[in-house]
Amino acid sequence: MSSTRPHHVAVVGSGPSGFYAAAALLDADLDVRVDVLDRLATPWGLVRGGVAPDHPKIKSVSAQYAKTAARDGFRFFGHVEVGACDGEAHEPGCGRVDRAELLERYDAVIYAVGSQTERRLDIPGEDLPGSIASVDFVGWYNGHPDHAGLEPALDSERAVVVGAGNVALDVARMLVLPVDDLRATDTADHALEALARSSVRKALVCGRRGAAQAAFTTTELRELDKITGLAVRADPEQVPEGMADDESLAKGTRRNLEALRRWATTEPDPQADREIAFRFLRSPVEIRGEDRVEEIVLAVNRLETGDDGRVRAVDTGERETVPTGLVVRAVGYRGLPLSGLPFDEATGTVPHAEGCVEGCAREYVAGWIKRGPSGIIGTNKKDAHETVRHVLADLAEQEPSDRPSLEDTEKWLRERCPELVDQAGWESIDAHECGRGDTDGRPRVKVIEREEFVRLASA
Ligand code: NAP
């Protein structure tokens, strides 16, 4: 035990919000050391496992995180699962630690664990083979170990993507892009192989509300213009002339409407052999099929503005049926409860005041588990800084700590998690992946298997 050790903070989760929190802690005037813990062997969260592989520029933000990781006072410990076994004994070698144990060793714990699961549609047929959640599909093409075995049904010409957000756009693009366009990316090898055999040539993106309520960002939408051989279609009745001129709409919305109107009124390149079509005012009400998806039934909606000013979709009772073998549900992510921490079921987040977990001293949240699955990567910087301001203020008021030394804590983590991957281990994995990428003309070739991570990390 040491009474003079520096402040020691655990950040659980190594995605953007975890890294922004770590960097802000290391920037502080106080002497703070940071351990970033992750259940995976690899850091960077959604930057590695979520951002679409054809967006290498967005993924390049990882260079900033690598700089943070190289700073004095930073340690990474992968293959450390936190709080996953309520009530079970935590034996040496179990690979898990729990919340109370972290609080015994660290002066503060920031949970930056993101939104790890899907929002459900709660409609009949949702779980038929061929109906998949975007969290699984995105994880699959990005080589996330939890989703690598997905085997999506890619044998029909048309896929239906439910949702009108940026994830729906990512999914639609990844489904229809010619595989040769992906060969220079870090798309997982198993996904490249499956996409090379894919019959999908058309993606129908369905939004439950109108074109003006879609959650796409304009850059992501306009990017579709740059894809050779892609026809983009929208219904002129759903994006009528003049809609984009409505000055009461946000600037981004008006730009989206301009793009959609252009696609609705311009004949696509007759040579185009791929298609993304947008259909608004459609909600899925049933997914049908004998033993796999064969069609999706969409309710035709009209819009109504509620007393709160929010525009709602209201079912007109009319139905439309679209034949398809693949439905991807891209209707948003959802946080999972962390054992012992309060949880708001309605929002899928941990209740907090500016990042301080309600009723839990020395515990904090940052990122999507704090504010829900919204915003772009950079949004997490401001979010993490707000949390860290409180962490630092609380640390400054704490008595000198008699908690275990940094060395003892590392020893404990290694005993409990024998497959632990530290920063040096991750750098070996990274070098291996990037080295294979150099040979293939790709940013990296991803490792998927746990044993392979452990082998490379200890090589
Ligand atoms: P999102 O932006 O919240 O979009 C979710 C979509 O699903 C909305 O269109 C929503 O419609 C719809 N939806 C929700 N429940 C539904 C239901 N029961 N039936 C039908 N539709 C339903 O979420 P996301 O696309 O998962 O993206 C998450 C965050 O990551 C966003 O902030 C996004 O911008 C960001 N992101 C950014 C990028 C990028 O910058 N390149 C890429 C990917 C993701 P309503 O509006 O009607 O609720």
Side-chain angles (χ1 to χ4, degrees):
M1 299 276 193
S2 155
S3 59
T4 56
R5 88 188 204 330
H7 297 289
H8 200 191
V9 179
V11 175
V12 183
S14 65
S17 57
F19 264 95
Y20 291 127
L25 288 163
L26 295 171
D27 283 342
D29 291 335
L30 293 175
D31 186 5
V32 183
R33 310 298 162 92
V34 184
D35 287 354
V36 173
L37 315 178
D38 203 292
R39 70 189 182 88
L40 298 184
T42 54
W44 308 341
L46 277 186
V47 169
R48 179 180 167 103
V51 173
D54 65 329
H55 281 168
K57 214 167 145 194
I58 301 182
K59 284 194 188 251
S60 69
V61 70
S62 59
Q64 276 181 39
Y65 308 152
K67 277 191 187 155
T68 300
R71 290 177 66 175
D72 287 342
F74 178 99
R75 303 192 296 190
F76 172 73
F77 297 122
H79 278 165
V80 176
E81 190 151 358
V82 175
C85 44
D86 241 355
E88 276 177 49
H90 291 204
E91 304 294 344
C94 70
R96 292 178 298 215
V97 297
D98 84 15
R99 185 186 153 233
E101 293 175 303
L102 291 182
L103 283 172
E104 282 165 20
R105 286 164 178 84
Y106 293 93
D107 303 317
V109 182
I110 302 177
Y111 290 94
V113 294
S115 305
Q116 298 174 45
T117 188
E118 55 170 317
R119 248 191 228 151
R120 301 274 301 168
L121 290 172
D122 292 326
I123 59 169
E126 184 166 12
D127 295 316
L128 270 176
S131 164
I132 56 178
S134 59
V135 67
D136 295 322
F137 187 62
V138 167
W140 172 76
Y141 61 61
N142 268 313
H144 189 299
D146 289 358
H147 309 288
L150 181 69
E151 297 182 11
L154 300 172
D155 55 349
S156 60
E157 191 191 16
R158 181 192 289 109
V160 173
V161 183
V162 180
N166 284 332
V167 170
L169 278 184
D170 284 348
V171 164
R173 270 194 340 275
M174 288 298 293
L175 280 168
V176 301
L177 271 177
V179 75
D180 286 341
D181 292 10
L182 295 172
R183 293 206 189 277
T185 72
D186 68 356
T187 306
D189 282 348
H190 58 249
L192 284 177
E193 279 166 30
L195 290 167
R197 296 190 305 268
S198 170
S199 304
V200 178
R201 295 290 178 274
K202 298 179 178 184
L204 178 67
V205 177
C206 297
R208 65 177 166 183
R209 297 191 287 157
Q213 287 75 41
F216 313 127
T217 48
T218 309
T219 317
E220 273 55 38
L221 201 57
R222 283 183 181 162
E223 190 193 325
L224 300 183
D225 282 326
K226 297 184 199 141
I227 301 173
T228 325
L230 179 72
V232 188
R233 296 181 192 275
D235 177 348
E237 282 184 24
Q238 296 196 325
V239 206
E241 194 178 356
M243 197 180 190
D245 301 330
D246 180 348
E247 290 188 2
S248 68
L249 296 172
K251 211 165 157 189
T253 304
R254 292 175 63 187
R255 288 189 178 146
N256 285 358
L257 292 171
E258 279 163 18
L260 288 163
R261 174 74 192 166
R262 184 163 42 74
W263 291 324
T265 52
T266 318
E267 239 348 273
D269 175 0
Q271 305 295 318
D273 59 350
R274 318 255 158 174
E275 177 185 292
I276 292 181
F278 293 95
R279 194 169 304 166
F280 298 100
L281 299 171
R282 299 291 184 277
S283 290
V285 286
E286 187 177 356
I287 300 172
R288 288 186 190 148
E290 192 67 27
D291 48 17
R292 55 165 292 182
V293 173
E294 291 170 25
E295 61 186 26
I296 182 167
V297 184
L298 302 170
V300 178
N301 298 328
R302 62 180 170 78
L303 296 178
E304 200 176 87
T305 306
D307 293 341
D308 55 0
R310 184 175 158 83
V311 177
R312 282 196 310 265
V314 179
D315 187 351
T316 61
E318 198 185 323
R319 298 289 179 263
E320 207 173 84
T321 301
V322 182
T324 183
L326 176 67
V327 172
V328 186
R329 309 176 313 261
V331 295
Y333 293 159
R334 208 184 131 72
L336 286 173
L338 287 149
S339 67
L341 286 190
F343 190 70
D344 181 341
E345 283 293 342
T347 59
T349 58
V350 170
H352 66 93
E354 296 192 343
C356 308
V357 177
E358 256 177 30
C360 300
R362 300 195 287 116
E363 289 178 293
Y364 307 83
V365 280
W368 280 7
I369 195 64
K370 171 183 172 188
R371 67 170 198 283
S374 65
I376 55 172
I377 290 171
T379 315
N380 294 297
K381 195 167 186 175
K382 197 168 160 220
D383 175 305
H385 285 190
E386 177 188 67
T387 299
V388 167
R389 260 201 312 281
H390 287 282
V391 177
L392 293 172
D394 294 348
L395 287 177
E397 289 195 354
Q398 275 181 27
E399 296 295 319
S401 172
D402 60 357
R403 298 191 180 94
S405 68
L406 276 71
E407 295 72 24
D408 285 351
T409 294
E410 178 171 353
K411 197 164 155 250
W412 164 74
L413 280 171
R414 286 186 185 280
E415 274 168 17
R416 289 293 280 280
C417 308
E419 294 183 331
L420 182 145
V421 171
D422 60 14
Q423 180 62 24
W426 156 242
E427 284 170 17
S428 301
I429 295 166
D430 191 36
H432 170 87
E433 290 189 338
C434 295
R436 284 189 60 200
D438 277 347
T439 315
D440 285 15
R442 304 165 63 186
R444 67 175 63 240
V445 176
K446 283 181 177 170
V447 172
I448 314 287
E449 302 294 332
R450 190 174 176 99
E451 301 72 39
E452 179 74 344
F453 284 125
V454 174
R455 189 186 66 73
L456 290 165
S458 52

